[in-house]
Amino acid sequence: MGKVESYRNSSDLIMCFCGTCGTSVYELAPASKQFGLCSGALDAANGIIELKEHMFVAATKDGGLREWLLDIPAWEMYRQDPSGSIEPGKAYGAKASATSNTTEGDILHCSCHCKGVQFNITRPGPRSSMLHSPWPDLLMPYFENASDNSADVKWWIRAGGTKYLAGTCACNSCRRGSGYDIQCWAFVPKVNIQKTNRDPIDFDLATLKRYTISEGAYREFCGKCGAVVFWHGDERPDLVDVSVGLLNARSGARAEEWLEWCTGRVSFQELAQNKSLIEKLAIGIKDWGARRTANE
């Protein structure tokens, strides 16, 4: 691990991450003298680390991942405030509908916490399909199928050409790269990712740093606040994984007016370190998808 960098993301919380690869390692709350270890940075978690609660759920606007793990208690803010408990089905606060016209239109602004990395995503267009990509494990589990996409299916384009595919990943690379057991990605063509001045993206944004995971595979993160930003590789250079947490969508953390979530599986769930957590997530996201389908 490289030098540990620190970033104060609020008045009472300091996040600490690896300055070489961006992995979140631990957090400090100096006033209360509390210390939190990021579970994804551990070499063993199953049977040791258990998800007991969701905090600050109100900030997500739409519930975020809490909607896929409903059996775990949730709090609007800190768990110390009993009045902030959120029961399943309770509204998370005012938000725009995922199908309303009060969305961002054709441009979605994205940024990390410190705003050192900022970029825009545009809606799918004709050029969004002018590329080729193998299947992701999210849709074609690699332990069962070959990843080659001989039929050239444009699997990243969804909802009649208006949204991008998004999903959850539990692979060791994402876990170690983020510091957390679950990483959420949106699959976006490079032509649809722009600098804020609308120039093409070239991965040289102000505080963006690159880490080479393996030959031909790269991850970018913010060197100031540690946010995970991109994953991309030589195998599919024109399609980029964008960390969903950076999307500033009006509807909330899941950005459903821009993304269609894969509910069939968690990517690389067979390789998950915290198997009990990922098994719960896989069941929860399938149930969420079934409820959505039944209500359509």
Side-chain angles (χ1 to χ4, degrees):
M1 184 173 72
K3 177 185 177 183
V4 174
E5 303 286 350
S6 63
Y7 172 72
R8 184 178 288 274
N9 65 2
S10 69
S11 60
D12 60 352
L13 189 65
I14 298 172
M15 293 298 302
C16 299
F17 62 95
C18 174
T20 299
C21 67
T23 304
S24 293
V25 183
Y26 58 89
E27 61 181 37
L28 302 171
S32 61
K33 297 182 180 180
Q34 290 186 338
F35 173 90
L37 185 64
C38 298
S39 60
L42 299 175
D43 287 333
N46 200 47
I48 301 173
I49 302 297
E50 181 181 2
L51 180 61
K52 300 292 288 186
E53 58 199 1
H54 305 277
M55 292 193 296
F56 295 98
V57 175
T60 68
K61 297 183 183 179
D62 59 8
L65 270 67
R66 191 282 165 117
E67 288 292 288
W68 305 333
L69 294 162
L70 288 175
D71 62 329
I72 297 172
W75 306 89
E76 291 185 357
M77 295 184 67
Y78 284 112
R79 63 183 178 276
Q80 289 92 335
D81 179 9
S83 66
S85 176
I86 301 177
E87 298 300 323
K90 178 180 177 180
Y92 297 99
K95 64 177 185 289
S97 167
T99 58
S100 75
N101 293 323
T102 59
T103 59
E104 298 78 359
D106 293 330
I107 297 178
L108 175 61
H109 180 252
C110 308
S111 63
C112 63
H113 192 275
C114 72
K115 303 296 193 295
V117 174
Q118 299 190 57
F119 58 94
N120 294 329
I121 290 176
T122 61
R123 292 282 182 188
R127 293 200 300 159
S128 307
S129 298
M130 296 174 63
L131 59 112
H132 175 79
S133 171
W135 288 103
D137 178 84
L138 185 68
L139 297 178
M140 292 286 185
Y142 290 170
F143 75 97
E144 293 179 344
N145 307 280
S147 63
D148 64 289
N149 180 6
S150 57
D152 199 22
V153 176
K154 311 303 180 182
W155 51 263
W156 54 93
I157 304 296
R158 297 283 158 150
T162 63
K163 298 182 182 182
Y164 299 108
L165 178 69
T168 52
C169 186
C171 77
N172 287 325
S173 177
C174 286
R175 175 181 60 78
R176 292 185 177 124
S178 67
Y180 301 100
D181 293 293
I182 304 167
Q183 170 64 39
C184 296
W185 294 114
F187 301 93
V188 183
K190 191 176 179 182
V191 296
N192 294 103
I193 307 173
Q194 303 174 342
K195 295 181 180 180
T196 53
N197 64 2
R198 304 201 180 185
D199 284 346
I201 197 77
D202 53 12
F203 304 117
D204 65 347
L205 303 174
T207 58
L208 198 66
K209 293 184 68 174
R210 172 175 292 186
Y211 176 69
T212 301
I213 307 165
S214 59
E215 185 176 357
Y218 316 98
R219 182 188 301 110
E220 274 83 20
F221 65 97
C222 175
K224 182 177 179 180
C225 68
V228 177
V229 182
F230 301 124
W231 183 98
H232 56 105
D234 294 346
E235 185 180 32
R236 51 172 173 88
D238 299 317
L239 188 64
V240 179
D241 294 11
V242 179
S243 187
V244 174
L246 277 69
L247 276 58
N248 297 316
R250 291 184 184 177
S251 67
R254 293 194 304 274
E256 290 184 70
E257 67 269 52
W258 283 83
L259 306 177
E260 180 180 298
W261 287 88
C262 174
T263 60
R265 71 183 256 105
V266 176
S267 186
F268 293 104
Q269 62 189 51
E270 299 79 15
L271 302 179
Q273 175 178 247
N274 193 336
K275 294 187 182 302
S276 59
L277 170 61
I278 301 306
E279 286 172 0
K280 284 185 178 180
L281 176 65
I283 293 170
I285 198 170
K286 284 182 180 180
D287 288 347
W288 178 79
R291 293 195 302 272
R292 286 299 185 87
T293 300
N295 292 330
E296 288 179 355

